[in-house]
Every structure is written in structure tokens, then in C-alpha cells.
Amino acid sequence: MTKLLEIRDLHKRYGATEVLKGVDCDMAKGDVVCVIGSSGSGKTTMLRCINMLEEFQGGTIRINDEEIGYETVGGMRRRKREREIARQRLLTGMAFQQFNLFPHLTALDNVTLGLIKVKKLSRAEARTIAERWLERVGLLARKDHYPGQLSGGQQQRVAIARAIAMNPLLMLFDEVTSALDPELVNEVLQVIKDLARDGMSMLIVTHEMRFAYEVANRVIFMNQGRIGEEGDPREMFVTPKTERLAEFLKTSTFR
Amino acid sequence: MELGPFLNELWIVRYILLEGLWRTVSISLLAIVAGSLLGVLVGLALTYGALPLRWLMRGYTDFIRGTPVLVLVLASYYMLSTIGLQLNPFEAGVLALAVFCSSHVGEMLRGALQAIPRGQTEAAKVIGLTFHQAFIYVLAPQAIRHVLPTWVNTAAEMVKASTLLSIIGVGELLLTTQEIISRTFMSLPFYFFAGALYFVVNYGIERFGKYVERRTTIPS
Amino acid sequence: MGYTLNFDAVWRSFDRLLAGLGLSLMLAIVAIAIGCVIGLVVAFALRSPSGLLRRPAGLYVTVIRNTPILVLVLFTYFALPQLGVRLDKINSFIATLAIYSGAYLAEVFRAGLIAVPPGLREAGLAIGLTEMQIRTSITLPVMLRNVLPALSSTFISLFKDTSLAAAIAVPELTFEARKINVETFRVVETWIVASCLYVATCTVLAALMRRIERRLAILR
């Protein structure tokens, strides 16, 4: 069976500082993987390399056996063309910490924009799909609201609908609850849990330990640009093998 | 276009041009000084004045700001002598620019004073300062820092607006240039030269404004 | 001070003032339309990583902003023909005003572009939009809504700047007012009426723009 995601020896530098020092990661279809670790450990950067929001200097990322972002021509590694990268970004969908909804478009239009401009669907088709997903995240009634008229939790749910409506193979979640008021966190996590139950493949960077414990079938602990430990959350959280993880879990809150 | 004849002419008229430049500078200086003094009063009245005074000042600033500066200059020049106030073109022009300047400074000051959070006044009251003390030690210093860079740029606006006085016959830099052109027919190089002089003066003011902005920013 | 107001002569010429006002508005509208195109191109150039685009764009903005507009008007009309660029009065003035406003609008648009959160571009990339699609569907519309207030005040000050067309005898409002002033000697009345026309137009324009702003405002 081909892997959904295969990351090999991923290296990423900002100038002289190396933030990813050789990361490997595999995911099969239907996997829900949570990435935990302290800030600056490189977990968000890894996520952003997968859809080429960040360039990376070494290693390969493959989705369904297709190499992402770079190709090797005559022994030279070079960035793929912008159009090709734009097409590859459709293999994944992403939800951001800051939602990044388009402020000048209604909730519905936020979701239909990509369907119309990228997938070239008709307005009516796009609308049908968008309404279905807005209903899934419980916001069909708010479809004509602008982002500024929605709460943070509602905005994040629209942002998730926007990403999923593009029908990606793999969903990337980048600390999607970190910018939310505590009382709004659960509605967003619930949406993600529902998606997990439906068999959506997801890679989730999060600080919510209880959520990771409940939803993930595998957890990756990142530490200083490397994978410190990975495995089943039920084992990892109870009996961490490394000092680092034990230390990290001690300072994290399980709510 | 030959450069030689132009440089030759430029050498001949150097003192006339300098005199024009000096008049431009003095018009701008007078306008900014008088206008700012007047503007501070306008700004204070707009912020703290009793309601009728505030309305009056609002009317004044809105009317001045809604009128083109050229119309102010022409009106000042033609109108004041008609109603018996004998001003020469220079005085009428400076008056118009000062009035123009005062409305801008007034607005600026009002904006800056009102941008100071209410909590500042309350905190000043709580430690027992009177309104005057609060204004002098708390509000004014903050407002001035806020206003100073923009105020410096108003000086550049005045230099630019001073060209309008050429239309009522004040022999500042632009009118001097036009007179030279009407004699030499070298419109291209002389307009270009005048433009360059204005640019140098204004660019200097702009840089100074940036410098002031850096210096007055409250560290945070 | 034996001056008694008598508006009869001005009312008789009122249609000429109105025609002048119409021309003023036309000049401002055409100029800002062209100026917006220039400003947009220059704003993107100012944000470009390539110095080959950024430096000339920066030079253009700095030079225009520091040169008095009257000098630009006279230069375009009187000096450029010597280089073979011959435009009639109105076109020459529109060209000047467009180039002049382009520099100010470039700054406005640049600030607007900076204010668009970079996350929006990333979100666009993540759903597979190309850079060009992001620019047209996201960056531009968000930026335009951000800059609308600045855009409307630029337009209003541009409308006032059309008074400078009087200097090259374009029959707009200021030129007509000055003619009526000279013909009728009803000096005070003429300038009061002319100023009021400017102020009223500015007020109406500002109200119109505010309505558009409210229509298009991004709700927060």
C-alpha cells in the first residue's frame, strides 16, 4: 500500500539557524497524527513545508508518491514551477492559527472562491458544495455573514470548511485553537473530531493534550528540530520514554 | 538644448533668483509661524472650547479646508482692499497662507489631543492635578510629540503653497523665474531649475520631519 | 468701510460659475482615474523586491511630492512643448494632475498593501490560487477597502487643486470667479460665492464618499 505522506530527512534553515534537522514522518490514509512540542521546536515549520508555504533545503516530501515542491533535473535540485506547486497544494488543505478568512467575502464566498477560481466549478456547483460543508461545521445559517461578524470559533470553522471543500487528501491543522478564547475551543475541536470519525487523514499541530490523546492514533513529539519520540498517545502520555517528553508533558495542561 | 547659454543666463540672474528664493523662504516662515500660533488657539478652542465657540471654530476650519488655497490667496488679495484693509500683495498672500496653515494646525492639534486616552486625564485628576497642570504636564507633551512630525511637513506645504503668491504678483521664486523666462525664452531649463530648488528645500524639510519623527517617538 | 453687499451681478453670472464648477469636477475625476492606474502600478513597483522597479518608482514619488504643483502645471504647459510634447490647456492640466496624484496615490496604495495581512496570501496559496489570482481576488479588494478613506480625501484635495488650472487660463471655477471679479467689481460677493461653491462641493463629495465607504466597509 502506498503511503499517503512520506517525509524523508527534511532539512530547513532560516539563514544560519537550522530549524528542521532531518525529520522523517509517514502517514497512511485515514491516519490522524498530532504533532506536539514546545514553541520553536519546528512543528509548525514542518507542517508549512508540506504545502510549500515554506521552502526547504534538504530532504523530500511525497504525497501519494508524488514529490512535493522540488524536482531533480540532471542531478540538480530545483523548485518546481509556480503553477505546478499551486496544483500540488490542492493535495492538502490547511487551517491556520489566525483563521485567515478573506475579510471582504462572506462565509459562503470564502468557501466558493477556490472552487470557482481553482477548480473552475460553476457558481451553482460551488455553492452546493460550500453549503454542504458549512452545514457540516454548523454554520449554514451564517453563510451570508462576513468574517468580522463571526466569533473566532465560527471563523475557524468556516476556515476549515473552506479548506475541506477543496477535497484534499490530507488536512493540515496549524494550532487552530491557539488564537481562540477558551470557551470557543471546543466547538472547533468537535468539528475536527467529526472529520476524524469520517476517516479524514489529518496532521494536526496542537497544544491541546487532551484532544491529542482522544483523537490521534499517533502522536509525534518534536524537540529542537527533530522528532523526539513518536507512538500511540495512550502509551506515550503515560510512560514517556525520553526525559524531554516527560518534562514537556509535566508543563502542559490537560484540560 | 544647449547648456552653455543657460548657465550663462543663470550666472547673470543669480542674485535675482536668490532674492526670489529668499522671499519664498520668508513667506513660508511668516506663514508657518503666524499660522501655527493661530492654529494652536483654534485647536484648543476645538477641543476644550464652550459649545458655541467650538461650533464657530468648526465652521472656520471646515470652510478654510474646503476652499482651495489659490481662492484664499485671491480672495485675500482682492477682497480685503475692497473692504478698506490696505494690504500689499505680499501681506495679503502671507495672511491667506497663515489662515490656511492655522486650520490645518488646529485640526492636527485637536486630533492629537483627542487621541490621548481618557484614562490619562483621569489618572492626572486622581493624583490631584488641576486641569491646567494636567494639560501642561500630561496632555500637551503627548500631543506635541504626536503632532511635531506632521507639523514639520506643514512647513513643506507652505513652501509649495507660497508659489501661489506669484499669481497675485509677489516676486517669489516662481514669479522671478517666470520673469526671467519671459526675457530669455528659456522656459525648459529655468522651470526645471526652479523645480529643483523647490525640491531641494522640501526634500530637506521632509528628511528633517523623518528625523523629528524618530526622535519624538516614545520608546516602547 | 462703506461697502454694501450686492449679489445681483454675481447671480447674473452664476451659470458661468456653475459651468466652471462642472469643468473643475470633470478635471478632478479624469485626473484621479488616470492617477489611480499610475498609483497602483507604482505601488506594486514600490513593494517589488527588484531595485530596478523600486528605485525609479521611489524617485518619482519623492520628486513629485516635493515639487509645488503650480511649477508642474506651468512646466507641462509652457516648457514641455520645447521638447515636442504639445498638449492643449485642458489635456496638459489633466496630464499634470494625473501624474501629480499618481505619486500621492502610490503612497496611499502602498500603505494599503502593507496593511493586508500576509496570512491572507498564504490562505490563498493553500487553496491553490496562483499569485496573480491572489492579487486580483484577495489583495486588491482588501487593500482598496482599507484605503477608501484616504482615497476620498485625496480626491477632495485634488478637486481643490483644479483651481490651479486658472493659472493657464482653463475656464474652471477659480478662473471664472476671477473674471467676474474683474468685470463686475463685486469683489467680496464673487469670492464668497466661489468659496461657498467649493466648500459645498467638498462637503457633498465627502458625504458621498462616506456612503460608499460604509457600503464597502469590511465589517469588523
Side-chain angles (χ1 to χ4, degrees):
Chain A
M1 195 183 98
T2 57
K3 291 161 185 153
L4 172 64
L5 174 71
E6 181 192 82
I7 300 178
R8 285 290 168 270
D9 199 26
L10 183 63
H11 283 263
K12 159 85 188 168
R13 275 191 312 274
Y14 289 110
T17 38
E18 194 167 34
V19 288
L20 294 177
K21 304 166 183 169
V23 171
D24 296 273
C25 173
D26 291 292
M27 275 180 74
K29 196 170 174 309
D31 271 353
V32 176
V33 177
C34 282
V35 187
I36 58 171
S38 51
S39 54
S41 61
K43 48 192 196 311
T44 287
T45 308
M46 178 184 78
L47 206 68
R48 289 164 60 88
C49 285
I50 295 171
N51 66 354
M52 285 296 284
L53 288 183
E54 301 283 350
E55 318 218 320
F56 50 95
Q57 287 78 30
T60 55
I61 297 174
R62 289 170 179 278
I63 295 175
N64 265 0
D65 219 23
E66 183 180 333
E67 181 165 356
I68 300 296
Y70 297 89
E71 56 197 350
T72 311
V73 181
M76 288 277 284
R77 180 180 185 268
R78 67 164 194 224
R79 199 175 194 272
K80 288 186 173 171
R81 295 163 156 281
E82 209 44 59
R83 285 220 163 258
E84 181 65 6
I85 289 175
R87 187 191 63 75
Q88 290 190 327
R89 286 196 177 108
L90 290 181
L91 299 170
T92 58
M94 184 179 236
F96 299 83
Q97 181 175 354
Q98 298 295 342
F99 332 134
N100 292 343
L101 285 184
F102 307 129
H104 61 303
L105 301 178
T106 60
L108 185 72
D109 291 340
N110 260 279
V111 184
T112 57
L113 182 70
L115 297 169
I116 294 169
K117 299 272 177 189
V118 180
K119 297 230 152 158
K120 310 289 180 198
L121 297 186
S122 74
R123 206 159 266 286
E125 289 170 303
R127 200 185 160 93
T128 311
I129 296 174
E131 285 180 349
R132 198 170 68 226
W133 281 107
L134 284 173
E135 183 161 26
R136 268 300 296 277
V137 300
L139 286 171
L140 188 56
R142 298 285 163 97
K143 66 179 160 60
D144 295 323
H145 285 52
Y146 286 88
Q149 296 168 303
L150 300 173
S151 74
Q154 292 171 332
Q155 290 191 50
Q156 192 59 287
R157 280 145 67 197
V158 173
I160 292 170
R162 174 177 72 182
I164 297 221
M166 300 297 286
N167 198 20
L169 296 172
L170 169 65
M171 266 302 293
L172 308 170
F173 292 90
D174 182 13
E175 301 191 17
V176 287
T177 55
S178 298
L180 294 176
D181 292 335
E183 72 271 19
L184 301 177
V185 167
N186 264 328
E187 59 187 74
V188 173
L189 295 183
Q190 195 53 49
V191 165
I192 301 176
K193 281 181 187 166
D194 287 350
L195 292 169
R197 204 171 305 131
D198 289 1
M200 186 79 209
S201 315
M202 299 192 281
L203 187 57
I204 304 167
V205 171
T206 186
H207 291 295
E208 303 287 336
M209 293 303 146
R210 172 156 297 283
F211 168 73
Y213 185 85
E214 287 169 7
V215 78
N217 52 6
R218 189 150 49 91
V219 167
I220 294 177
F221 169 61
M222 287 204 56
N223 183 37
Q224 298 182 341
R226 293 197 173 83
I227 290 184
E229 198 174 327
E230 65 175 297
D232 188 305
R234 270 157 286 268
E235 292 164 22
M236 264 175 86
F237 285 3
V238 180
T239 50
K241 291 193 208 63
T242 57
E243 189 101 346
R244 290 283 187 188
L245 177 57
E247 197 64 29
F248 175 73
L249 290 173
K250 221 181 286 172
T251 55
S252 312
T253 48
F254 285 78
R255 57 165 186 238
Chain B
M1 179 63 54
E2 298 236 349
L3 206 56
F6 165 65
L7 290 178
N8 197 28
E9 279 297 333
L10 188 61
W11 185 250
I12 297 171
V13 299
R14 62 191 186 281
Y15 289 119
I16 309 175
L17 269 178
L18 260 181
E19 212 173 299
L21 181 62
W22 168 241
R23 201 158 292 146
T24 288
V25 171
S26 32
I27 292 165
S28 313
L29 276 178
L30 284 172
I32 190 109
V33 170
S36 299
L37 290 176
L38 194 58
V40 169
L41 297 181
V42 172
L44 291 177
L46 277 172
T47 324
Y48 303 117
L51 209 53
L53 181 63
R54 216 149 66 202
W55 281 342
L56 192 70
M57 286 298 124
R58 177 101 331 267
Y60 169 79
T61 49
D62 283 356
F63 194 85
I64 300 299
R65 281 149 48 94
T67 309
V69 195
L70 179 56
V71 172
L72 291 179
V73 170
L74 292 173
S76 165
Y77 174 62
Y78 289 119
M79 251 167 69
L80 294 180
S81 60
T82 313
I83 58 171
L85 195 59
Q86 289 303 327
L87 293 180
N88 64 30
F90 181 90
E91 292 160 348
V94 168
L95 177 67
L97 294 191
V99 163
F100 167 64
C101 179
S102 76
S103 72
H104 277 263
V105 171
E107 256 319 288
M108 263 158 48
L109 192 62
R110 183 199 57 80
L113 283 170
Q114 288 184 345
I116 299 172
R118 278 196 69 84
Q120 295 288 313
T121 322
E122 290 169 1
K125 272 183 200 156
V126 167
I127 60 170
L129 297 181
T130 65
F131 175 76
H132 281 106
Q133 288 171 322
F135 181 79
I136 289 167
Y137 299 114
V138 179
L139 301 178
Q142 296 186 44
I144 288 169
R145 272 168 193 270
H146 198 216
V147 143
L148 219 49
T150 331
W151 181 75
V152 172
N153 286 326
T154 312
E157 290 306 313
M158 286 304 124
V159 174
K160 287 191 257 178
S162 71
T163 55
L164 301 178
L165 271 59
S166 68
I167 292 175
I168 55 170
V170 177
E172 42 66 81
L173 180 55
L174 184 56
L175 185 63
T176 311
T177 304
Q178 285 173 302
E179 283 165 0
I180 295 166
I181 289 169
S182 67
R183 196 166 47 71
T184 61
F185 300 108
M186 294 179 183
S187 61
L188 194 63
F190 272 108
Y191 272 129
F192 199 85
F193 186 75
L197 281 180
Y198 280 112
F199 174 79
V200 168
V201 173
N202 286 328
Y203 188 67
I205 297 173
E206 188 189 281
R207 301 304 314 179
F208 181 63
K210 292 255 164 68
Y211 169 78
V212 170
E213 193 170 351
R214 274 200 305 277
R215 288 298 301 274
T216 53
T217 310
I218 298 173
S220 59
Chain C
M1 292 279 284
Y3 195 90
T4 36
L5 289 176
N6 179 353
F7 283 95
D8 289 353
V10 182
W11 294 140
R12 253 176 275 130
S13 320
F14 195 62
D15 50 340
R16 274 163 61 193
L17 288 176
L18 280 185
L21 177 62
L23 184 57
S24 295
L25 272 171
M26 191 279 275
L27 295 172
I29 290 168
V30 177
I32 200 165
I34 306 171
C36 276
V37 177
I38 299 175
L40 218 56
V41 173
V42 174
F44 275 109
L46 285 171
R47 298 267 290 153
S48 156
S50 151
L52 229 57
L53 289 174
R54 211 174 49 234
R55 267 189 283 276
L59 186 69
Y60 158 72
V61 172
T62 312
V63 167
I64 297 295
R65 283 171 58 98
N66 285 308
T67 310
I69 178 168
L70 183 54
V71 174
L72 296 175
V73 170
L74 298 176
F75 184 84
T76 316
Y77 187 61
F78 291 114
L80 277 192
Q82 294 202 357
L83 291 175
V85 185
R86 229 168 280 274
L87 295 171
D88 68 37
K89 278 182 234 166
I90 290 186
N91 284 327
S92 160
F93 185 76
I94 288 176
T96 313
L97 208 57
I99 290 169
Y100 176 77
S101 64
Y104 286 85
L105 292 167
E107 288 280 274
V108 168
F109 290 144
R110 188 177 70 108
L113 286 176
I114 291 172
V116 176
L120 297 187
R121 175 176 160 270
E122 294 185 345
L125 288 175
I127 56 169
L129 295 174
T130 61
E131 293 283 359
M132 207 54 203
Q133 286 175 320
I134 290 171
R135 222 165 272 160
T136 54
S137 316
I138 301 168
T139 313
L140 269 183
V142 173
M143 179 272 271
L144 282 177
R145 284 166 172 81
N146 285 344
V147 301
L148 226 48
L151 204 61
S152 58
S153 70
T154 307
F155 179 59
I156 287 170
S157 78
L158 213 58
F159 164 67
K160 287 186 285 172
D161 287 334
T162 58
S163 63
L164 292 175
I168 55 172
V170 173
E172 47 66 69
L173 180 49
T174 303
F175 182 81
E176 291 293 353
R178 202 178 179 194
K179 241 168 78 184
I180 294 166
N181 172 16
V182 174
E183 286 166 9
T184 64
F185 295 106
R186 302 315 304 183
V187 180
V188 181
E189 297 85 340
T190 310
W191 291 110
I192 288 178
V193 171
S195 307
C196 285
L197 280 175
Y198 273 112
V199 172
T201 311
C202 286
T203 313
V204 171
L205 285 176
L208 270 176
M209 305 286 210
R210 260 200 304 280
R211 276 187 73 157
I212 298 174
E213 278 165 37
R214 262 207 300 279
R215 236 333 130 64
L216 292 177
I218 290 173
L219 300 155
R220 293 181 204 280

